[in-house]
Structure formats: C-alpha cells, structure tokens
Amino acid sequence: MGLSERDRRIARLAVPALGTLAVEPLYVLVDTAIVGRLGTVPLGGLAVASAVLGTVLPVCNFLAYGTTARVAFLTGRGDRRAAASVAAQGLWLCALIGVPLAVALAVGTRPIVAVVGGEGEIAAAARTYLLISCIGIPAVLVALVGHGYLRGVADTRTPLLVSVVANVVNLVLELVLVYGLELGVAGSAWGTVVAQVGAAAWFVGLLRRRLTVAEAPLGLVGAEARRLLLAGRHLFVRTASLLATMAVATAVAARVSPATLGGHQIALQVHLFVALALDAFAIPGQVLVGTLLGADDRAEARATSRRLLQLGLLGGVLVAVVLVATAPVLPTLFTHDPAVLDRARVALVIAGLVQLPGAVAFVLDGVLIGASDFRYLQWSMVVGLVVFLPFAVAVPAAPSLGIGGVWVGLLAWMLARAAANLARYRRGSWLAVPA
C-alpha cells in the first residue's frame, strides 16, 4: 500500500529536517575531536567556551521558530509578499540583537569565563575561543532566520544543503588551521566562524532573491518585528526552563558521585542524539499546521497533526526498544570504568522509556509552534521544570536513589510536558490561536 498524500507531504519535510538536525551539532563535535588531540588545556578551554555559547545562543531560537510559524501562516493565506517581509524583519533583528550580544560577550569574556569555572591556562584558552566566536554570533542568528523562512515555505532541503556544506568547510578549515598552521584553539574558533559567516552569506543571498521576487519591503516593519519579539519573550522562558532542567539534573548527578556524573553524561548525550529522530516530526508540524491555519483549513490541520502524532509515537516506540535493548552494551563505546558503566546502563533503560512521552511532547511542540501558541508552550515547559524539582531535592538528600532517581525525575519531567501539550491539543484551542 502506497503512502497517502498527507504522509508524502510529511516525509518530504521530515526526512531533510532529520538530516539537518543531525548535521547541526557537528560543529561542536568536530571542534571537540580536533581540539581534544591538542591536550587537556585546549579541550578544557573549548568546554568552558562551549558552555557559555550553548547557554546564550539557544535563547535566540525564536528567530527560527517564530519565523517559521509566521511565514507558514502567511504562505497558507496566499500573502507571499508579507511572508517574504517576515524574513526581512528577522534579518533586522539579527543586527539589532546579534551585534550588541556579540559586543557584550566580547567585552565580558573574562568575568563570564570566571563565572563558568575556567581557571589558569584553561581560562585563557576559553577566552581565546570565546572572543573569536563572538564574531560569528550575528551570522548564527542570520542562519536561524534562513532556516526559519525556508522551512516556512516548506523547503527543508536547502537548509540541509547549507548545513552540510558549512560543516565540511568547517572540518577542512580546522584541520588546516589547527594542525597545518598550528594555531591551536584559536584555529578551531576561526574555522567555525568562517563556516558560520559563509552559511549566513548563503542564506542572505537566498533570502534576497525571495524578497526581490515577492517585491517585499526591506525596511523595518514595526508590527512584524514586535510579533517576532513577542514570540521571543515566550520562547526565552521556555528555553530557559529547558536549560535549567538539564543543568540541575547534571548538578544533582555530580553531587552523588563522579561515577554517577559520568553515567548521566553518557545517557544524556545519547538521549539528546536519538531525540533528533523524534524532533524531526516537529518541523512538519510547524510548517503544515501553520500553512493550513493560514488557509483556514482547520479540519486538515487537525487531521495532519493527528497523523504526525501517530507517526511520532511509532518512532518513539522504536527508539525506546532500541535504547533499552542496547543499554547493556552501548555505554562501552564511551568508557571502560565499571562504576560508570553500571550507572549508564540504568540511566539508558530509563532514557528509553523517556522517548515514549518524548514523542508526544516533541510532535505537539511542533504543532503548537505552527499555531503560534508560544505563550502556552512556555508554561508547559515551566510546569515540567516544577515537576522535576522535587527529584532534584530528593536525590542529594538520599544519595542511594542515585542515577535512577535523577532519570526517573527526567521521565516525570517529560511526562508532564507531554500531558500539558496533549491537554492543549485535545481541547482544540490552539486551532483558534491567531497567527
């Protein structure tokens, strides 16, 4: 039996989106692999700088999510000129937010690194990497707008192409700069910045052509810019709650024992990687739901979201089975420490169970983003954090709960997110949220 037209639309968006989601983290992985061979000090500096960037940059994701939802809605309504104008507003915000943010980080590099915990030679390496990376911050924001606009017009292939080429360029440049010219951690940072600027220039070229064809206004349009900023306010709270949950979980694991922290880190990185497969269904949710609501086809929006939920649950079951089945052997790819192995195996079994409510949470995140229901999404993530906090208190008070207590807490966190999103979905109020 062949795929339905609805399934084909989902696949055309989800498959390239999965590729992009898998490729994007390679910047950090390449940096880690190359710098790691230089020694402990450069690697420690990279870790500190990456922690800073990994805290700051995700709060700008509204430039992608807000742009996708708005562009999809306007495209569905048939107003391609206004849809193209959203990209222009996004680029204005890249300048208005990205440049001051880069300057602030550059000026505050020394105290920021000190707060994160870098000392001595590690702090010096972190400052070097972070200072150079600041140059690429506006480019990273431009790429977010580029991804958001192209997804909004149902093009997930071009962002994949840009991401692949940028990562290849990054790899080649880092090999030349770090090993060939022996620039060390600075060479790694420069390679990444050049790749980021190149990707941003590519996106600007693509967006410029779209703006020209649509005859869209290039100037700052206050109403549309404010709409993106409002989405950003809600998504900031959402992202901050997400980052807080991850940070608290890691801190709790660290307080139990070094082996618990090691096992937690393995399970967390595996969880984040496999979750990409489920998160790929969120992107079709953003695009298709936004477009259908723009066309005022609420019946198809609900039918499409229902199908996405079915496919997401199927994916969640498959990922859960694989994780649980491989939990006894998977940690051996990361360590040979018996204590860390024991704890990682326990965590991975629970992480497998996390994928079931995770499938619901991720898919419905996409559906609600497509409906521009950003206010609700911020509170659903806050609720999840509140549910997790009792576990964060209980585990240090009773260390015998160990890594199982940490990951049961994360399971409860994901269940709360899924339940909150599902309640909103079933009520159908998201269908009436103005985009």
Side-chain angles (χ1 to χ4, degrees):
M1 182 181 295
L3 293 174
S4 67
E5 178 57 32
R6 185 181 296 133
D7 285 349
R8 283 194 290 270
R9 286 198 302 269
I10 292 171
R12 282 195 295 267
L13 293 169
V15 174
L18 175 59
T20 303
L21 290 170
V23 167
E24 282 299 307
L26 289 181
Y27 278 122
V28 176
L29 291 178
V30 167
D31 285 5
T32 302
I34 291 176
V35 173
R37 293 179 177 272
L38 298 177
T40 302
V41 169
L43 184 60
L46 174 63
V48 171
S50 296
V52 174
L53 295 170
T55 301
V56 172
L57 293 178
V59 301
C60 297
N61 278 343
F62 75 92
L63 290 168
Y65 295 145
T67 301
T68 295
R70 184 62 176 163
V71 168
F73 179 85
L74 292 170
T75 299
R77 201 168 65 182
D79 194 346
R80 297 188 180 278
R81 184 173 184 271
S85 178
V86 173
Q89 307 317 304
L91 292 177
W92 274 105
L93 291 179
C94 289
L96 295 174
I97 296 173
V99 173
L101 178 60
V103 171
L105 275 181
V107 171
T109 295
R110 184 175 294 274
I112 290 171
V113 168
V115 168
V116 174
E119 299 178 351
E121 292 182 338
I122 288 179
R127 289 194 297 270
T128 297
Y129 189 94
L130 188 57
L131 190 61
I132 297 169
S133 296
C134 287
I135 299 171
I137 286 177
V140 173
L141 303 194
V142 169
L144 290 174
V145 173
H147 280 280
Y149 175 80
L150 292 171
R151 288 174 183 172
V153 296
D155 179 1
T156 54
R157 293 183 180 181
T158 302
L160 173 59
L161 177 60
V162 175
S163 296
V164 169
V165 172
N167 274 280
V168 171
V169 170
N170 179 49
L171 173 60
V172 173
L173 285 175
E174 291 209 27
L175 290 174
V176 172
L177 296 173
V178 175
Y179 298 142
L181 300 181
E182 298 183 350
L183 295 180
V185 71
S188 175
W190 278 117
T192 299
V193 165
V194 171
Q196 290 168 339
V197 171
W202 193 345
F203 276 123
V204 168
L206 292 169
L207 295 178
R208 183 179 178 182
R209 285 197 291 273
R210 301 272 185 151
L211 287 164
T212 300
V213 170
E215 299 181 345
L218 301 179
L220 187 62
V221 178
E224 285 295 346
R226 283 193 296 272
R227 187 186 293 272
L228 282 175
L229 288 173
L230 180 60
R233 187 183 73 186
H234 297 315
L235 289 171
F236 172 82
V237 175
R238 178 180 183 273
T239 302
S241 299
L242 172 62
L243 293 175
T245 302
M246 296 294 98
V248 170
T250 300
V252 169
R255 290 188 64 183
V256 176
S257 71
T260 299
L261 177 60
H264 170 74
Q265 183 65 12
I266 291 171
L268 182 61
Q269 293 308 311
V270 171
H271 161 72
L272 293 175
F273 180 77
V274 300
L276 295 176
L278 304 179
D279 212 23
F281 289 109
I283 291 176
Q286 297 171 29
V287 178
L288 296 175
V289 168
T291 303
L292 290 165
L293 290 180
D296 201 26
D297 191 349
R298 298 184 182 185
E300 181 59 25
R302 181 175 281 282
T304 298
S305 61
R306 185 184 305 114
R307 183 57 176 160
L308 281 166
L309 195 53
Q310 292 169 348
L311 293 172
L313 280 169
L314 176 60
V317 170
L318 292 175
V319 171
V321 169
V322 170
L323 267 187
V324 172
T326 59
V329 296
L330 190 57
T332 60
L333 298 176
F334 301 91
T335 183
H336 297 295
D337 185 318
V340 175
L341 287 171
D342 287 344
R343 288 158 177 79
R345 286 165 179 150
V346 172
L348 283 172
V349 169
I350 304 173
L353 299 179
V354 170
Q355 307 313 309
L356 299 175
V360 175
F362 298 154
V363 170
L364 294 182
D365 276 348
V367 169
L368 296 178
I369 287 172
S372 294
D373 199 0
F374 301 116
R375 182 188 296 274
Y376 185 84
L377 282 169
Q378 75 171 0
W379 292 118
S380 69
M381 191 68 77
V382 170
V383 167
L385 172 59
V386 170
V387 168
F388 175 73
L389 288 178
F391 293 89
V393 174
V395 173
S400 60
L401 294 173
I403 198 165
V406 176
W407 275 86
V408 168
L410 290 174
L411 175 59
W413 167 69
M414 193 65 79
L415 283 167
R417 285 180 57 191
N421 283 357
L422 193 58
R424 183 71 160 181
Y425 171 76
R426 285 178 170 171
R427 284 197 301 270
S429 50
W430 55 277
L431 291 166
V433 173

